[in-house]
Amino acid sequence: MTRCILKGMTIGLLGLTLAGLAAFTPPTDIATSSALPTSAPVDHSSYDRLLKKYVNEKGLVNYKGFKADEKELKKYLDVISNNPPTDKWSKNDQMAYWINAYNAYTILLILNHYPVASIKDIGSKIKIPFVTTPWASKFFKIGGEEMSLDNIEHGTLRKKFNEPRIHFALVCAARSCPRLRNEAYEGNKLIAQLDDQGSDFLNNPAKNAITPQKASLSKYFDWYKGDWNENNRSIEYWVNQYSKTKINKDTPISFLDYNWALNEQ
């Protein structure tokens, strides 16, 4: 009988222990939990705070400051890395994600090699497009897949979305790029943000010098000519969409030399 009593007590105590263990939830590290996969669109607010802190109204970057806050940038990029867009996201949420990812990883690339005079100084001295350029370097992962900046721009954004205005938003850390916006892109205001970027870019005489007699445009309009001409549109259409000075089909168009100096404050 004693053995039966002891056995019953043991089973009872074991049950209480297992119940206690089941009820106990170990503390979760906040930084780790924020990077866990989620089906909802990514929250870009932490990146937004960094941009407001280290990017001025002209789109120039305080890379020294960013370097001091690199840990925070990497936390955001961990969230980006672990939460690739799904088809359940809206088109604009997906585009905002990829634009933010491109710009944030570009900042990280500069920080990884800082100080540097130009993004073109990074990597091999012999630059073979899509092979040995900084944009071809697969230095990060998204959804477990090794990726490059070229993969985001050409393999995802240009391939999947018929939206030339992404070229007003993607910033390759150079002076002749569009300004780096000092706020994150958000799906619910993406179109307004892209329109604002277009207006800022086309009306900046250092990047597009436009008169009724001639238009000296950014090399973007030459490099991505096929994108601007999609859907029966043209370079003239896009210039007139945002430039205060209008051109017509007879206006001579040339392209400005590209300034690859770092977009640093």
Side-chain angles (χ1 to χ4, degrees), residues 57-254:
E57 68 281 356
K58 294 181 179 179
L60 300 178
V61 185
N62 176 1
Y63 285 106
K64 290 179 182 176
F66 246 120
K67 187 70 178 175
D69 241 346
E70 189 171 353
K71 186 181 292 186
E72 290 303 310
L73 177 64
K74 286 182 175 179
K75 282 183 183 179
Y76 168 71
L77 288 173
D78 282 344
V79 176
I80 288 291
S81 176
N82 288 300
N83 293 278
T86 72
D87 290 338
K88 293 181 180 179
W89 296 20
S90 72
K91 176 183 174 182
N92 287 353
D93 279 326
Q94 292 181 53
M95 283 196 291
Y97 169 99
W98 288 114
I99 293 169
N100 287 333
Y102 183 97
N103 290 341
Y105 276 116
T106 298
I107 293 170
L108 180 64
L109 180 64
I110 297 299
L111 297 183
N112 286 344
H113 297 85
Y114 192 81
V116 65
S118 169
I119 191 172
K120 294 191 79 175
D121 294 339
I122 296 172
S124 172
K125 291 184 178 180
I126 300 175
K127 299 293 193 290
I128 303 173
F130 304 107
V131 179
T132 60
T133 69
W135 302 279
S137 173
K138 294 192 173 186
F139 67 96
F140 58 92
K141 291 183 179 181
I142 292 182
E145 179 184 352
E146 291 188 345
M147 292 191 73
S148 67
L149 296 173
D150 276 343
N151 291 147
I152 292 178
E153 180 179 7
H154 306 297
T156 304
L157 279 167
R158 294 182 66 210
K159 184 177 180 180
K160 185 174 181 179
F161 305 100
N162 182 17
E163 181 49 87
R165 286 174 292 185
I166 63 166
H167 299 303
F168 299 142
L170 300 178
V171 180
C172 57
R175 291 267 175 176
S176 283
C177 289
R179 66 169 170 161
L180 179 61
R181 199 172 183 86
N182 62 354
E183 68 174 5
Y185 288 91
E186 300 285 353
N188 61 355
K189 55 182 179 180
L190 178 66
I191 300 306
Q193 289 175 315
L194 294 180
D195 284 339
D196 184 62
Q197 287 289 117
S199 179
D200 180 85
F201 187 59
L202 265 301
N203 291 291
N204 185 332
K207 299 176 182 182
N208 292 276
I210 303 168
T211 71
Q213 290 74 40
K214 65 176 183 177
S216 299
L217 303 180
S218 165
K219 288 289 285 184
Y220 274 35
F221 289 101
D222 187 24
W223 292 334
Y224 303 111
K225 192 175 295 182
D227 293 6
W228 304 114
N229 290 331
E230 284 281 339
N231 301 319
N232 295 316
R233 290 175 175 170
S234 63
I235 292 174
E236 175 198 339
Y237 167 87
W238 287 107
V239 169
N240 289 337
Q241 189 79 356
Y242 297 107
S243 174
K244 293 176 182 177
T245 303
K246 308 305 179 185
I247 64 175
N248 58 53
K249 62 181 181 180
D250 298 319
T251 302
I253 292 176
S254 60

